[in-house]
mmCIF file of all heavy atoms in Angstrom:
data_model
loop_
_atom_site.group_PDB
_atom_site.id
_atom_site.type_symbol
_atom_site.label_atom_id
_atom_site.label_comp_id
_atom_site.label_asym_id
_atom_site.label_seq_id
_atom_site.Cartn_x
_atom_site.Cartn_y
_atom_site.Cartn_z
ATOM 1 N N ILE A 6 74.538 82.642 66.411
ATOM 2 C CA ILE A 6 75.396 81.887 65.506
ATOM 3 C C ILE A 6 75.547 80.468 66.036
ATOM 4 O O ILE A 6 75.654 80.246 67.240
ATOM 5 C CB ILE A 6 76.769 82.581 65.413
ATOM 6 C CG1 ILE A 6 76.623 83.926 64.698
ATOM 7 C CG2 ILE A 6 77.813 81.699 64.737
ATOM 8 C CD1 ILE A 6 77.804 84.855 64.902
ATOM 9 N N ILE A 54 80.334 77.070 83.928
ATOM 10 C CA ILE A 54 80.042 78.083 82.908
ATOM 11 C C ILE A 54 79.229 77.520 81.751
ATOM 12 O O ILE A 54 78.814 78.253 80.855
ATOM 13 C CB ILE A 54 81.327 78.702 82.335
ATOM 14 C CG1 ILE A 54 82.097 77.680 81.493
ATOM 15 C CG2 ILE A 54 82.188 79.303 83.423
ATOM 16 C CD1 ILE A 54 83.068 78.304 80.514
ATOM 17 N N PHE A 132 86.270 64.573 51.946
ATOM 18 C CA PHE A 132 86.355 65.954 51.484
ATOM 19 C C PHE A 132 87.709 66.540 51.885
ATOM 20 O O PHE A 132 88.210 66.255 52.975
ATOM 21 C CB PHE A 132 85.229 66.796 52.086
ATOM 22 C CG PHE A 132 83.859 66.346 51.679
ATOM 23 C CD1 PHE A 132 83.153 65.427 52.450
ATOM 24 C CD2 PHE A 132 83.277 66.829 50.518
ATOM 25 C CE1 PHE A 132 81.899 65.002 52.073
ATOM 26 C CE2 PHE A 132 82.011 66.408 50.133
ATOM 27 C CZ PHE A 132 81.319 65.483 50.901
ATOM 28 N N ALA A 143 75.297 72.152 51.624
ATOM 29 C CA ALA A 143 74.402 73.242 51.223
ATOM 30 C C ALA A 143 73.715 72.951 49.900
ATOM 31 O O ALA A 143 72.582 73.388 49.667
ATOM 32 C CB ALA A 143 75.173 74.549 51.135
ATOM 33 N N ALA A 178 98.521 73.801 38.010
ATOM 34 C CA ALA A 178 98.494 74.258 36.619
ATOM 35 C C ALA A 178 97.585 73.385 35.759
ATOM 36 O O ALA A 178 96.893 73.888 34.862
ATOM 37 C CB ALA A 178 99.914 74.263 36.042
ATOM 38 N N HIS A 216 106.750 86.513 37.389
ATOM 39 C CA HIS A 216 106.723 87.604 36.407
ATOM 40 C C HIS A 216 105.556 87.462 35.434
ATOM 41 O O HIS A 216 105.651 87.880 34.287
ATOM 42 C CB HIS A 216 108.040 87.659 35.612
ATOM 43 C CG HIS A 216 109.249 87.800 36.463
ATOM 44 N ND1 HIS A 216 110.521 87.772 35.950
ATOM 45 C CD2 HIS A 216 109.398 87.964 37.808
ATOM 46 C CE1 HIS A 216 111.411 87.902 36.929
ATOM 47 N NE2 HIS A 216 110.731 88.027 38.069
ATOM 48 N N ASP A 272 98.812 78.683 48.968
ATOM 49 C CA ASP A 272 99.801 79.500 49.668
ATOM 50 C C ASP A 272 99.981 80.878 49.053
ATOM 51 O O ASP A 272 100.392 81.818 49.749
ATOM 52 C CB ASP A 272 101.148 78.772 49.714
ATOM 53 C CG ASP A 272 101.158 77.636 50.736
ATOM 54 O OD1 ASP A 272 100.078 77.325 51.272
ATOM 55 O OD2 ASP A 272 102.228 77.063 50.984
ATOM 56 N N ILE A 276 99.767 83.095 52.507
ATOM 57 C CA ILE A 276 100.993 83.682 53.041
ATOM 58 C C ILE A 276 100.852 85.193 53.265
ATOM 59 O O ILE A 276 101.157 85.683 54.355
ATOM 60 C CB ILE A 276 102.198 83.345 52.149
ATOM 61 C CG1 ILE A 276 102.560 81.859 52.306
ATOM 62 C CG2 ILE A 276 103.407 84.214 52.505
ATOM 63 C CD1 ILE A 276 103.620 81.374 51.349
ATOM 64 N N VAL A 289 86.385 82.898 55.116
ATOM 65 C CA VAL A 289 84.972 83.089 54.781
ATOM 66 C C VAL A 289 84.646 82.219 53.579
ATOM 67 O O VAL A 289 85.381 82.235 52.590
ATOM 68 C CB VAL A 289 84.656 84.556 54.426
ATOM 69 C CG1 VAL A 289 83.154 84.764 54.298
ATOM 70 C CG2 VAL A 289 85.254 85.510 55.432
ATOM 71 N N ARG A 297 79.134 81.544 56.465
ATOM 72 C CA ARG A 297 80.070 80.672 57.182
ATOM 73 C C ARG A 297 81.439 81.317 57.263
ATOM 74 O O ARG A 297 81.999 81.757 56.261
ATOM 75 C CB ARG A 297 80.191 79.322 56.495
ATOM 76 C CG ARG A 297 81.143 78.346 57.242
ATOM 77 C CD ARG A 297 82.550 78.336 56.648
ATOM 78 N NE ARG A 297 83.484 77.526 57.437
ATOM 79 C CZ ARG A 297 84.621 77.037 56.940
ATOM 80 N NH1 ARG A 297 84.966 77.273 55.691
ATOM 81 N NH2 ARG A 297 85.428 76.348 57.720
ATOM 82 N N GLY A 305 96.199 73.326 66.352
ATOM 83 C CA GLY A 305 97.181 73.665 67.392
ATOM 84 C C GLY A 305 97.461 72.549 68.373
ATOM 85 O O GLY A 305 97.495 72.770 69.590
ATOM 86 N N ARG A 315 95.473 81.556 71.595
ATOM 87 C CA ARG A 315 94.858 82.870 71.463
ATOM 88 C C ARG A 315 93.547 82.769 70.680
ATOM 89 O O ARG A 315 93.502 82.112 69.629
ATOM 90 C CB ARG A 315 95.811 83.830 70.749
ATOM 91 C CG ARG A 315 97.036 84.168 71.564
ATOM 92 C CD ARG A 315 97.989 85.081 70.841
ATOM 93 N NE ARG A 315 97.367 86.304 70.330
ATOM 94 C CZ ARG A 315 98.030 87.406 69.985
ATOM 95 N NH1 ARG A 315 99.361 87.438 70.120
ATOM 96 N NH2 ARG A 315 97.411 88.459 69.534
#
Side-chain angles (χ1 to χ4, degrees):
I6 292 163
I54 69 159
F132 297 92
H216 304 175
D272 285 9
I276 288 173
V289 189
R297 182 263 174 159
R315 292 178 53 161

